[in-house]
Amino acid sequence: IEALKNSAERFYDDFQVESVAVEAPDQPMSVEEARNGAKSRARQAYSSDNSLGIGIEGYVEEFEGKMFLSVWCVLFDGEEFFEGGGGRSRLPEKIAKMLDEKELGEAIMQLMGEDLREGKGAVSLLTEGEIDRPDFTERSLIHAFGSMENRW
């Protein structure tokens, strides 16, 4: 919610943020899965009472034999989707190997004894606290809001 408020206020003076429960898949393991999940979340969050549905999906993806953490965001105005992605943080090999059997949050909890699924997020651990989940997600949301506002 913090990331959404921070990014929305860069584009709008007046807005309300409301969290809604949606059905969501397990940990996406590619940008395609994350994109589909975020679109589904945005579509489910949209209603005639909400002028915009927003879907945010964290994911891990293999690239050249290494696993990375990233995030994908989708806005849905009832007709069109607007998307944005963010940076990537490499996962330590020890965590990456566990992802065949566990979601990222569970793997980190098992290794570190800390639940990072809410709050600061896994990216905080991966960046030594320099970037937290809201910061990581905010950039992706800004890309999505920018694509919505700049329809050429």
Side-chain angles (χ1 to χ4, degrees), residues 134-151:
D135 295 334
F136 199 50
T137 305
E138 186 177 333
R139 292 288 177 198
S140 296
L141 283 163
I142 289 169
H143 289 296
F145 278 116
S147 70
M148 186 174 74
E149 293 302 316
N150 294 300
R151 302 178 209 194

Side-chain angles (χ1 to χ4, degrees), residues 13-51:
D13 293 327
D14 185 30
F15 62 90
Q16 289 183 306
V17 175
E18 175 183 325
S19 182
V20 296
V22 298
E23 291 185 28
D26 291 336
Q27 173 84 63
M29 296 298 287
S30 70
V31 69
E32 292 84 9
E33 288 181 14
R35 184 175 184 244
N36 290 337
K39 282 178 131 178
S40 176
R41 287 177 186 267
R43 192 180 294 112
Q44 290 178 62
Y46 177 80
S47 73
S48 57
D49 295 335
N50 301 324
S51 59

